[in-house]
Amino acid sequence: QGGRFVAEMQPPMAVQAPVLQVQLAQAYGRHQASSSLVVAARKGLEEPGLASWSAACPGTWQRSEARRLVAASAAAVLVGVAASSRRKSSTRRLARYQWTVEPEKKRRERKEPRLLKSGYWQEEVENDIDAFEWFLAEDFWDSEPAPLTSTRELFSYSVLPNAKTIRFAAPEYRTPDTKVQLCKAQLPIDPADQGEDRIFADDIGTVVSQYDRGRPDERVMEELASADVVTSLESLRMLLAFLDNTMLRDFQAKGMNTHYRKGAVGVDLMRITRMDDAPTALVLPTVWNWAPKNLSGNPESGSMHNRSYDVHFQRLASGKGSPSRTRSETSEVTHYRLLLHQVGDLRFVVRAPCVATMPILDAPEDRPGQAVEISTRNRRNADELWSSVLPARYAHMQLGDIGMVARGIIDKGYVSNIQEVTQEDLCLDRPGLEEQASLLLGQLVALIQKIREVQAEPGCKDRQLYLQYYDGELRIIAPRFDADVDDEAFYERLAAEVRGEGVAN
C-alpha cells in the first residue's frame, strides 16, 4: 500500500526511497538493517521539503499520516536493533582481539637437559636399592600352557581375633532370601601376609606343627617339604592381574606410572624369602594388598571404599545373621584352607581364605571346588562377571579351589537377584575358557620360575629381596642399607661368590 500511495502522489524522492526501503524491510521480516539504510531513512524523514509538500496537499497528507507514523516507528526500531547489533559485534570483536593478543605465559627455563622417561637407564640413579631383574608381561606371552592337574586340601583352620589358631572349618553356604534390605558396614582392613608383627613362613610352620593337638602331621610335613612354591591366594591374584595387564591399567588410572611432570611410584608387592620347613621352596608373602582402599583415601577411616554390603550379605549366606553394628566386625573369625596344587612342573602350597564352603550334598569332600566366593554388586554391574578378565577370574577360582561364585545383585539397598555360578557354568557359557586359563597359568609358572632363578644367584644370597611394581614392570630389588654401602667387604664377598671362590672373610 505504501508503494502504491507513493507512486500515485509522486512525493519528493528524498521521502519516496526511504519509506519504500523501510516497508520492504518489514515485509520480508528482516530484524537487522545495515547502517546505510537506517541513516538514509532518518535523513529522508527529516528533509525540510516535506513541510512544503504537506502544505500543498493537506487532504492527501492527512490520509497518509498513519502510514508515515508507522514508517517512522519502524525506522526507530531498526535504528535500535542496528545499534544493539553493532554493540554486540564490537564486543565480540573486542573479545576475540583481546584473546588473540593475550601475552603468552613465560615458561620456566630449564638449564639442565631433559631426561627421557623411556628407560630406567635414563632416569635418576636410585642409591638406596639394588635392582636385579625386570619383568614385562609381554615377556611371558609365548609360554606353554600349564593346566592345573590336581588339587587337594591339606587341612583347614581358623584364626580368632586374639590371633589364636583353632581347628574349626568354615560354615556351609546357604542361599539368602531375596527382597531383603541390606545395610552397609565397614569392611575390615585385610592385613598383609607379612609385616612388622608377623612372618608368613613362621605362621605356616606353626600351623603345620600344631596340626593334631599340638603334634605335627607327618603327611602334611612331607607335602610341605616337597613344595616348590609356598604363597597365598592374594599373591597369586596380583601376579595374574599383572600378566593380563589388569594391574597396569589400574595403576595407570591411579597415577602410579610415569606421566606428565611426575615420575613413577614404586610399590613393594611381595617379599621373596625361604622357610625352614620347605628349604627348596620359594616363599612369596604379600607385604601390601591390592585394594581400592589402599590406593586412595585413608585406610583407617571409613570415608572411601571402606563401606559395602558385602559384610551383611556374607553373614546372611553363612548363617550368622545380620551384623550387630555398622562398624567393622572385630569379633569375626577368619577361616583359611591350606591347598596343594600341581600346575605344570611346579607344586604350589597356597593359603586361601574361605568365607563359606559348598553344601555337603552338592559337593562331596573329595570333589574339587569346596569354597564359595560371596560378594555383592550393583544392578548396573550385574554382567561384569563375563567381562574380558574372565580367564583370570577362572584361574583364580582354580587356585583358590572356589567351586561357586555367589553374588547378590543390589537395587536401592535390596537384594533383587542372586547369581550362583559354578566353574562348570562358566565353561558352558564360554567354551574356550579353560584353554585361556591354562595359557594364563603357564605364564604364571614361567614368571615364578624366573623369580626362582634370580633368587638362586650368588648376588641375591643373604639379601632382603622384594618383588616391586614400578612403571608397568615387575622388578626384583633389595634395599641397600648404610652399613652395606660403607662396608667394602660386603662387595668383596659378593664378587668372590660370583667368581666361585667361596665366601671371602
Side-chain angles (χ1 to χ4, degrees):
Q1 294 177 358
R4 288 195 301 272
F5 166 72
V6 174
E8 293 175 0
M9 299 304 300
Q10 294 296 327
M13 294 302 297
V15 178
Q16 179 182 359
V19 172
L20 277 174
Q21 291 177 357
V22 171
Q23 294 285 344
L24 291 175
Q26 282 186 327
Y28 284 95
R30 296 173 57 184
H31 300 291
Q32 295 183 355
S34 62
S35 58
S36 59
L37 173 63
V38 177
V39 171
R42 185 188 302 168
K43 184 183 295 185
L45 293 177
E46 296 176 357
E47 188 67 28
L50 184 62
S52 58
W53 181 76
S54 175
C57 305
T60 304
W61 181 251
Q62 289 178 0
R63 289 195 303 270
S64 63
E65 185 68 19
R67 295 187 178 90
R68 190 185 72 82
L69 293 177
V70 171
S73 301
V77 170
L78 289 175
V79 169
V81 171
S84 175
S85 177
R86 285 197 301 274
R87 285 194 299 269
K88 293 180 180 179
S89 61
S90 63
T91 303
R92 288 193 295 266
R93 285 196 300 271
L94 180 59
R96 289 198 299 268
Y97 175 76
Q98 290 179 352
W99 181 77
T100 55
V101 302
E102 183 179 358
E104 186 178 359
K105 295 182 179 180
K106 186 178 180 181
R107 295 185 178 180
R108 183 175 63 90
E109 296 181 358
R110 297 178 58 94
K111 298 182 180 180
E112 68 278 1
R114 183 182 296 274
L115 295 176
L116 299 179
K117 297 296 184 181
S118 58
Y120 296 111
W121 56 89
Q122 295 171 339
E123 296 183 1
E124 297 180 359
V125 180
E126 296 176 315
N127 297 322
D128 56 342
I129 65 171
D130 289 330
F132 297 100
E133 188 59 78
W134 291 264
F135 306 111
L136 278 173
E138 291 83 354
D139 299 340
F140 305 97
W141 285 355
D142 297 334
S143 303
E144 295 293 331
L148 190 146
T149 56
S150 64
T151 298
R152 186 161 55 89
E153 177 183 327
L154 297 180
F155 62 90
S156 59
Y157 66 98
S158 302
V159 179
L160 299 178
N162 57 1
K164 182 181 178 181
T165 303
I166 59 175
R167 291 294 311 281
F168 183 77
E172 290 187 0
Y173 169 79
R174 61 214 65 190
T175 304
D177 297 333
T178 57
K179 304 302 180 182
V180 177
Q181 186 177 10
L182 302 181
C183 61
K184 281 190 174 182
Q186 183 177 352
L187 288 172
I189 300 175
D190 297 329
D193 297 333
Q194 184 158 326
E196 297 179 356
D197 55 342
R198 59 190 174 278
I199 299 177
F200 178 75
D202 293 346
D203 293 345
I204 296 297
T206 303
V207 170
V208 172
S209 61
Q210 298 178 358
Y211 176 76
D212 186 12
R213 298 179 182 179
R215 294 174 299 178
D217 189 347
E218 299 298 336
R219 180 182 58 86
V220 177
M221 294 294 292
E222 292 177 359
E223 298 289 356
L224 184 61
S226 62
D228 298 319
V229 182
V230 179
T231 182
S232 63
L233 186 61
E234 180 66 21
S235 299
L236 298 179
R237 184 180 75 92
M238 288 194 287
L239 293 179
L240 291 174
F242 169 76
L243 292 172
D244 69 346
N245 287 330
T246 304
M247 178 178 289
L248 172 63
R249 292 191 295 267
D250 184 66
F251 277 58
Q252 190 172 7
K254 301 296 190 303
M256 310 288 285
N257 292 355
T258 301
H259 57 283
Y260 182 64
R261 291 185 178 179
K262 187 177 180 182
V265 179
V267 181
D268 296 338
L269 303 180
M270 308 169 199
R271 176 76 194 284
I272 303 175
T273 181
R274 297 184 182 275
M275 61 183 304
D276 297 335
D277 296 329
T280 61
L282 171 68
V283 183
L284 287 176
T286 60
V287 295
W288 178 83
N289 283 338
W290 181 35
K293 56 187 176 183
N294 290 336
L295 287 173
S296 60
N298 185 7
E300 299 296 335
S301 62
S303 58
M304 294 190 65
H305 306 292
N306 280 352
R307 303 184 65 83
S308 174
Y309 294 110
D310 292 354
V311 177
H312 194 174
F313 189 72
Q314 289 176 0
R315 291 182 63 87
L316 292 178
S318 58
K320 299 178 182 179
S322 301
S324 59
R325 50 190 178 275
T326 58
R327 303 298 294 177
S328 61
E329 295 289 334
T330 57
S331 60
E332 287 292 324
V333 180
T334 307
H335 308 283
Y336 293 101
R337 301 172 66 213
L338 202 64
L339 306 173
L340 178 64
H341 301 298
Q342 182 68 39
V343 184
D345 298 334
L346 298 181
R347 292 169 60 89
F348 287 78
V349 173
V350 182
R351 188 184 71 173
C354 180
V355 179
T357 58
M358 293 285 289
I360 192 63
L361 298 178
D362 298 337
E365 293 183 359
D366 56 347
R367 177 186 174 184
Q370 294 292 325
V372 180
E373 181 181 333
I374 305 173
S375 61
T376 59
R377 289 294 184 272
N378 191 276
R379 59 177 180 84
R380 294 186 295 269
N381 303 326
D383 57 345
E384 71 173 4
L385 182 63
W386 294 269
S387 62
S388 60
V389 297
L390 184 58
R393 179 184 291 274
Y394 186 80
H396 176 265
M397 293 177 63
Q398 288 183 318
L399 294 173
D401 195 31
I402 300 174
M404 184 177 65
V405 175
R407 306 200 313 168
I409 307 304
I410 307 301
D411 185 9
K412 298 179 181 180
Y414 288 86
V415 181
S416 61
N417 188 19
I418 298 177
Q419 296 178 344
E420 296 179 348
V421 184
T422 61
Q423 293 186 14
E424 292 80 6
D425 296 336
L426 293 177
C427 292
L428 291 176
D429 294 340
R430 189 79 61 87
L433 179 60
E434 197 166 358
E435 289 76 9
Q436 296 175 1
S438 299
L439 290 174
L440 198 58
L441 291 177
Q443 300 174 19
L444 176 65
V445 170
L447 174 59
I448 291 179
Q449 287 178 347
K450 193 66 176 179
I451 296 175
R452 294 184 66 189
E453 293 177 3
V454 177
Q455 186 190 24
E457 293 294 333
C460 298
K461 292 182 179 179
D462 300 329
R463 299 295 301 272
Q464 296 183 7
L465 300 179
Y466 289 87
L467 189 64
Q468 185 187 73
Y469 175 90
Y470 189 83
D471 204 8
E473 296 181 348
L474 287 182
R475 62 180 185 175
I476 299 177
I477 65 168
R480 185 188 303 170
F481 302 102
D482 296 337
D484 298 338
V485 176
D486 298 335
D487 189 6
E488 296 181 359
F490 174 77
Y491 293 99
E492 293 178 0
R493 183 170 64 254
L494 290 182
E497 291 180 358
V498 172
R499 292 193 301 267
E501 299 176 359
V503 179
N505 295 326

